[in-house]
Amino acid sequence: FSNRERNRKMEGEQATKVAQSDEEYFSADEADTNSTDDSAEPSEVTATKGEATPRGAAVAATVDEESECESDGLSEEERVQKATDLKNKGNSFYGSDNEAAIVQYREGLRICPKSARCVRAQLYANMAAVYVMLEDNKKSVELCDKAIRYDETYTKAYLRRGKSHEKLDNLDKALEDFQKVLELEPGNSTAQEGSQRVTPLIAERNEKMKEEVLGKLKELGNCFLKPFGMSTDNFKLQQDPTTGGYSVNFQK
């Protein structure tokens, strides 16, 4: 094998090991995807020494993960290994020192070759998990988007993004993510629970929107009908239970 071929082979083997490590470490996070109990969440994270910032806002402002990767004079294989070590170090801080975890993941992204797509996807998704804990769901969605761009089959990224969309009240997008996971893993219980949870919420929201639209149309109709001594009360809407369509009946 040439040096390049050996490097690619080593990178593939390393990416597989990283995937297994990531699945083991973050399984607890996904099992809690549908939990609304955030009592264990830190109320603040320190952005700089002696300066407290609510919910990691200052940390988020400094994130620039897509800057050009740097080699630091290392081979591609060594960079993948170093990025993996930084990811694991970030995992060790997860939940106890979230700022330190973010720093490790960002450094991992800085050094990790963009060709190591699996490793980069895991770094983004793990950072997103930190922001889920910090309830910065907008940032979590952004990071999951990047993780999915590197690995379109990474179910954990879809689950975390779905959870964040749900908390942001983006119910349709949350359902799309949960359904995508079920396409990839039909037996995924977390995605099943998420889908079952948001589906009735979407139906309830749509029903309220329909009532609001009909109410506005009724007001508009009364404005036009009033000169003729009529109102929308003279017109009765009846829904067809079979088709779901509506018919209008005139009543004097």
Side-chain angles (χ1 to χ4, degrees):
F1 294 106
S2 66
N3 289 335
R4 178 174 295 180
E5 290 171 334
R6 281 198 298 271
N7 286 343
R8 288 179 177 174
K9 182 179 179 182
M10 290 296 294
E11 179 195 331
E13 293 173 350
Q14 187 61 50
T16 301
K17 292 178 182 178
V18 170
Q20 293 170 346
S21 172
D22 183 65
E23 292 293 325
E24 292 172 0
Y25 187 82
F26 279 88
S27 58
D29 173 71
E30 283 195 9
D32 194 40
T33 297
N34 64 342
S35 172
T36 56
D37 179 9
D38 297 309
S39 58
E41 171 195 13
S43 59
E44 63 179 29
V45 59
T46 304
T48 57
K49 187 175 182 181
E51 180 183 354
T53 305
R55 302 200 182 282
V59 177
T62 64
V63 174
D64 183 21
E65 307 89 4
E66 280 297 342
S67 58
E68 188 64 29
C69 301
E70 300 176 19
S71 66
D72 288 356
L74 303 174
S75 68
E76 189 164 306
E77 177 187 343
E78 290 170 332
R79 290 165 64 194
V80 173
Q81 181 60 57
K82 185 173 181 180
T84 301
D85 293 341
L86 288 164
K87 183 189 82 73
N88 292 334
K89 189 174 181 180
N91 291 353
S92 70
F93 288 121
Y94 175 79
S96 59
D97 188 344
N98 290 306
E99 181 190 357
I102 290 171
V103 170
Q104 299 305 313
Y105 297 143
R106 287 180 59 211
E107 179 65 11
L109 286 163
R110 185 188 69 81
I111 198 69
C112 185
K114 290 189 177 181
S115 58
R117 303 182 68 84
C118 180
V119 180
R120 291 186 66 83
Q122 290 163 5
L123 285 162
Y124 278 122
N126 288 5
M127 196 186 304
V130 176
Y131 282 99
V132 168
M133 179 174 289
L134 294 172
E135 284 194 343
D136 188 343
N137 292 292
K138 185 176 180 180
K139 185 63 183 177
S140 173
V141 168
E142 176 187 329
L143 292 167
C144 287
D145 287 345
K146 293 179 179 180
I148 291 167
R149 282 201 294 270
Y150 278 103
D151 185 353
E152 295 181 352
T153 64
Y154 196 13
T155 56
K156 287 194 174 186
Y158 286 107
L159 285 171
R160 288 171 188 154
R161 190 173 70 176
K163 178 178 179 179
S164 293
H165 274 313
E166 183 179 356
K167 289 192 173 184
L168 291 168
D169 206 30
N170 299 329
L171 300 178
D172 296 289
K173 292 182 178 180
L175 182 59
E176 287 177 8
D177 282 336
F178 293 139
Q179 289 178 335
K180 179 63 177 181
V181 174
L182 292 174
E183 288 179 17
L184 297 168
E185 297 180 8
N188 190 294
S189 61
T190 304
Q192 289 172 345
E193 292 168 2
S195 180
Q196 292 168 2
R197 190 169 57 251
V198 301
T199 297
L201 295 176
I202 291 173
E204 181 182 353
R205 180 207 61 194
N206 291 345
E207 185 64 27
K208 287 181 179 178
M209 290 175 61
K210 183 182 74 174
E211 291 175 359
E212 290 175 2
V213 170
L214 289 175
K216 291 179 180 179
L217 288 173
K218 185 175 180 179
E219 292 177 4
L220 182 61
N222 285 334
C223 291
F224 286 103
L225 293 171
K226 187 175 180 179
F228 301 98
M230 294 187 296
S231 74
T232 53
D233 293 333
N234 296 117
F235 300 88
K236 185 175 180 60
L237 285 175
Q238 290 186 327
Q239 186 176 23
D240 188 323
T242 304
T243 65
Y246 288 88
S247 60
V248 181
N249 295 322
F250 177 74
Q251 297 177 338
K252 292 185 178 180

